[in-house]
Amino acid sequence: RDDATILESLHITSAYYISSIEVAPAVDTIAVYLDIPILRDADDYPMIYGAGMGDGTPFPGSVFLRATDDVNFDVLETLTESTVIGDCTSTLPDWTGGAIFDETSWVDVDVGEKTLTATTSAAILNSAEVNAYAIGAHGRWEIGQFRNPELRSSSPNVYRLTGLLRGRRGTEWACLNHRSDDKFVLLQMSGLRVLELSNSQLGLDLYYRAVTIGRRLSTAASQTINAQGVYSMPFAPVALHAERSETTGDISFTWQRRTRRSVRMTGTL
């Protein structure tokens, strides 16, 4: 019974078999929480945005959760797509030039295995969604748009962004205090989720986690975010003008207000 030479077979192996499949380990979710002005009129209520992507492939998606005590978490939203999240490897220079293209500044961003694509100035001016980004950190996000991403190195992919339209959505004030370790987030709506808040939660330290679908809660680390209600903060007025009366010496000031909604300018006060 133990002698293999006793059995001889002229038949071929059956073709009815299932090939083996290599099971890839679940990846972690990289998440950034953005307390920034609204990106759509429909988002005008207490909230912040959650951005997420997998740190590898395949990425099945993730679940955003929040707790007040870092223990009892509630499910907020499910994310099934990725956006591009990276790290700045240089410091974005200060900008005080207003709402025109900054053709002198540049910033290098490491986006891992993700890619960025070029566009045109006309496309940027026609849509605030084209190549929109947030650069900074909690409490000092600058929103802008880039025209040219030049690939400087690969694996990881490091791009130099130029042709910047900066200080978008009322974030001109954030153009002055960037650092070399800022985060970069591509603001594409497919990779963002609105994480609703109550008015009573504004100004409180809340704990957020983004857990890859199919993984345990304990596999994700908490991030503490204290939302300041930036969604509702008015934009600074523009076109300030002062005029002195020749007869009374009084000075009259006029300016233009800006709305957080789709209409960019309202009447002069």
Side-chain angles (χ1 to χ4, degrees):
R1 292 181 297 175
D2 299 326
D3 189 351
T5 61
I6 296 177
L7 178 62
E8 294 183 2
S9 175
L10 301 178
H11 298 285
I12 61 174
T13 304
S14 171
Y16 298 98
Y17 63 90
I18 300 175
S19 59
S20 61
I21 299 175
E22 182 179 352
V23 179
V27 301
D28 291 325
T29 297
I30 299 172
V32 175
Y33 302 95
L34 301 161
D35 189 15
I36 59 175
I38 59 174
L39 303 176
R40 305 176 303 177
D41 287 359
D43 303 336
D44 195 7
Y45 55 86
M47 62 91 206
I48 62 173
Y49 293 102
M53 75 171 194
D55 67 350
T57 55
F59 176 59
S62 61
V63 178
F64 288 110
L65 304 100
R66 181 175 61 222
T68 59
D69 55 5
D70 204 17
V71 176
N72 300 297
F73 283 85
D74 296 320
V75 174
L76 300 175
E77 293 287 344
T78 299
L79 179 74
T80 56
E81 316 92 350
S82 287
T83 188
V84 179
I85 298 174
D87 297 297
C88 294
T89 59
S90 66
T91 302
L92 181 59
D94 293 349
W95 173 249
T96 58
I100 62 174
F101 281 94
D102 179 358
E103 301 291 3
T104 59
S105 300
W106 52 267
V107 62
D108 290 340
V109 295
D110 177 352
V111 296
E113 300 304 316
K114 297 290 187 177
T115 58
L116 301 174
T117 58
T119 186
T120 64
S121 297
I124 288 175
L125 294 175
N126 285 330
S127 174
E129 299 179 10
V130 174
N131 281 1
Y133 66 79
I135 286 181
H138 182 63
R140 53 179 185 86
W141 291 106
E142 178 193 341
I143 297 175
Q145 293 171 268
F146 65 89
R147 186 178 62 234
N148 305 313
E150 177 191 353
L151 185 62
R152 306 286 290 183
S153 65
S154 57
S155 296
N157 293 336
V158 176
Y159 289 90
R160 176 161 294 178
L161 306 184
T162 57
L164 308 175
L165 190 58
R166 301 183 56 183
R168 308 292 278 165
R169 302 297 298 147
T171 61
E172 315 79 348
W173 60 271
C175 296
L176 302 175
N177 56 355
H178 287 289
R179 303 174 188 172
S180 60
D181 59 348
D182 282 350
K183 297 296 290 186
F184 168 87
V185 181
L186 189 66
L187 298 178
Q188 55 185 25
M189 297 309 298
S190 61
L192 299 176
R193 287 295 181 270
V194 175
L195 308 180
E196 186 173 353
L197 291 158
S198 65
N199 285 320
S200 62
Q201 291 174 319
L202 296 175
L204 300 179
D205 287 343
L206 300 175
Y207 302 90
Y208 290 85
R209 292 190 190 185
V211 182
T212 302
I213 293 174
R215 303 198 71 184
R216 295 179 180 272
L217 176 66
S218 58
T219 61
S222 295
Q223 295 187 48
T224 305
I225 301 295
N226 188 311
Q228 297 299 306
V230 177
Y231 80 95
S232 65
M233 293 182 180
F235 295 171
V238 296
L240 177 64
H241 178 72
E243 183 175 355
R244 183 186 296 273
S245 171
E246 294 182 358
T247 57
T248 65
D250 293 340
I251 300 176
S252 299
F253 293 94
T254 60
W255 60 87
Q256 286 186 313
R257 295 186 300 174
R258 292 187 295 168
T259 176
R260 297 177 293 110
R261 290 180 172 267
S262 57
V263 180
R264 293 174 182 247
M265 294 285 184
T266 60
T268 300
L269 293 179

